[in-house]
């Protein structure tokens, strides 16, 4: 069986890429291997305040969130390198997982419409498809495509809350629009009207609804999904292209803030809810890096070094995984008390969003050369750093 240990690693960047691939697959293996055998519901533990309640939705959480982070790496496709052969293996595992997750006859058929939580993870599932249109959507057979669209559409019965949840409905409709050509545009219109209007609080940050909260939801959900929804809408629409550019401008500012929040030791402030999503808190910084849109003055190598340090520190804390390799609730190891009522084992796989940077090929400057100190590391060494500036629209 192929492993990342066979990947050649010479420069700092190459070593860090090899580690990040290995880390991603370590997280992915229990989910994808079980689901490929139609045994995810049978094998996956459910750690939660109310396990019986969370069993109704936790499996879609695990799968949708996991592949949303893996998708850009999978989209690079197979090739003759060790990593390229690994990608082919995991593309096939994910394709089999999509079939089982959306086939009503499968043991692992997932809940897309009962209760409220499935709307959230239908959106992450849609996010994965939008991020890998060739290797995931493009390699599905006609029957599975029909099942996927039916599953996504079935989530329409769930009413979104008046906060970041509006973007879950919008993301689902954006995927349906992209793959089928038509969609219900009302949820998209509502989500954009609120976020591009009264819910934007300035300097690259949105409220979670009308109010601003100190947490990582600008990165967990709000800004990534705004980028994706406006990108879909902007295809051939000049007005929507302007909206996408505005969203991108704000995202770049927020990414700059995120880079500065990483301490010299690779830690970050434990602010707000959902800390058990671990390094998924840096989805937006990873996404802006993937888009090659890092703000001026932030070098790809310093972001690479910072994210690698964050991932390594958290992943290697004792208790991050149980004995069978499943993630456990916590931010630094196993800390069940950090799990809100909506947190379960499946929720934790949002951490995979940090691996968006693996969608940049190994030849990209992001993965080349020596490490560079990130902003906080430079500053606390007494080195010169750029003055931080706010933005205005």
């Amino acid at each position: 069986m192929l492993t990342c240990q066979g990947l050649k690693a010479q420069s700092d960047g190459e070593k860090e890429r090899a580690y990040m691939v290995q880390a991603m697959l370590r997280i992915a293996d229990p989910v994808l291997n079980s689901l490929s055998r139609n045994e995810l519901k049978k094998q996956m533990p459910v750690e939660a305040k109310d396990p019986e309640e969370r069993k109704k939705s936790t499996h879609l959480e695990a799968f949708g969130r996991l592949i949303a982070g893996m998708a850009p790496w999978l989209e690079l496709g197979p090739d003759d390198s060790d990593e390229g052969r690994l990608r082919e293996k995991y593309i096939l595992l994910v394709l089999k997982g999509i079939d089982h997750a959306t086939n009503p006859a499968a043991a692992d058929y997932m809940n897309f419409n009962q209760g409220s939580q499935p709307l959230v993870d239908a959106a992450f599932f849609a996010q994965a498809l939008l991020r890998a249109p060739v290797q995931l959507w493009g390699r599905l057979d006609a029957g599975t495509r029909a099942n996927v669209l039916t599953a996504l559409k079935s989530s329409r019965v769930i009413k979104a809350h008046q906060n970041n949840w509006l973007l879950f409905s919008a993301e689902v409709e954006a995927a349906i629009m992209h793959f089928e050509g038509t969609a219900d545009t009302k949820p998209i219109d509502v989500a954009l009207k609120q976020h591009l209007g009264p819910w934007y609080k300035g300097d690259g940050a949105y409220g979670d609804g009308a109010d601003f909260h100190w947490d990582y939801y600008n990165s967990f959900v709000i800004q990534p999904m705004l980028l994706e929804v406006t990108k879909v809408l902007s295809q051939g629409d000049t007005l929507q292209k302007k909206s996408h550019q505005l969203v991108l401008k704000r995202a770049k500012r927020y990414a700059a803030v995120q880079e500065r929040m990483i301490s010299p030791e690779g830690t970050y402030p434990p602010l707000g809810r959902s800390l058990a999503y671990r390094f998924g808190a840096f989805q937006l910084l990873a996404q802006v890096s993937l888009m090659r849109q890092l703000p001026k003055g932030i070098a790809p190598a310093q972001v690479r070094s910072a994210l690698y340090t964050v991932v390594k520190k958290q992943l290697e804390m004792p208790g991050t995984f149980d004995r069978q390799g499943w993630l456990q609730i916590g931010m630094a190891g196993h800390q069940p008390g950090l799990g809100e009522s909506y947190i379960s084992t499946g929720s934790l796989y949002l951490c995979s969003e940090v691996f968006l940077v693996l969608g940049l090929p190994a030849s990209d400057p992001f993965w080349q050369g020596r490490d560079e100190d990130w902003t906080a590391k430079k500053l606390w060494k007494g080195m010169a750093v750029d003055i931080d500036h706010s933005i205005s629209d």
Side-chain angles (χ1 to χ4, degrees), residues 178-255:
H178 184 73
F179 294 117
E180 196 173 52
T182 60
D184 180 359
T185 58
K186 184 176 179 180
I188 296 174
D189 294 340
V190 171
L192 295 185
K193 180 180 179 181
Q194 295 290 59
H195 285 90
L196 299 185
W199 292 359
Y200 180 64
K201 303 305 177 184
D203 201 20
Y206 298 86
D208 191 357
D211 298 327
F212 177 79
H213 299 161
W214 280 110
D215 58 31
Y216 291 97
Y217 271 80
N218 266 263
S219 186
F220 289 145
V221 174
I222 297 169
Q223 305 228 30
M225 291 195 178
L226 278 173
L227 283 167
E228 287 148 5
V229 170
T230 56
K231 180 181 178 182
V232 170
L233 294 179
S234 69
Q235 295 168 0
D237 188 320
T238 302
L239 183 61
Q240 293 297 345
K241 285 179 181 176
K242 291 181 180 178
S243 294
H244 181 67
Q245 288 303 312
L246 177 61
V247 167
L248 178 58
K249 176 184 176 182
R250 295 170 177 178
K252 290 171 68 172
R253 170 57 183 159
Y254 195 81

Side-chain angles (χ1 to χ4, degrees), residues 118-179:
L119 174 60
V120 177
D121 299 296
F124 284 113
F125 180 61
Q127 190 177 56
L129 297 174
L130 285 170
R131 289 172 172 174
V134 175
Q135 297 300 329
L136 294 187
W137 180 261
R139 292 176 65 167
L140 295 174
D141 60 46
T144 305
R145 286 186 180 185
N147 285 342
V148 167
L149 290 169
T150 297
L152 291 177
K153 290 174 184 177
S154 76
S155 71
R156 288 170 170 167
V157 301
I158 303 172
K159 184 175 176 59
H161 307 311
Q162 291 297 304
N163 54 20
N164 73 86
W165 277 51
L166 292 183
L167 286 162
F168 298 136
S169 295
E171 185 87 6
V172 168
E173 295 301 333
I176 294 169
M177 179 183 293
H178 184 73
F179 294 117

Side-chain angles (χ1 to χ4, degrees), residues 12-29:
D12 290 338
E14 289 169 333
K15 291 176 184 177
E16 286 160 10
R17 182 180 179 89
Y19 179 90
M20 292 284 270
V21 171
Q22 187 174 42
M24 179 179 67
L25 301 185
R26 181 183 181 186
I27 290 166
D29 277 345

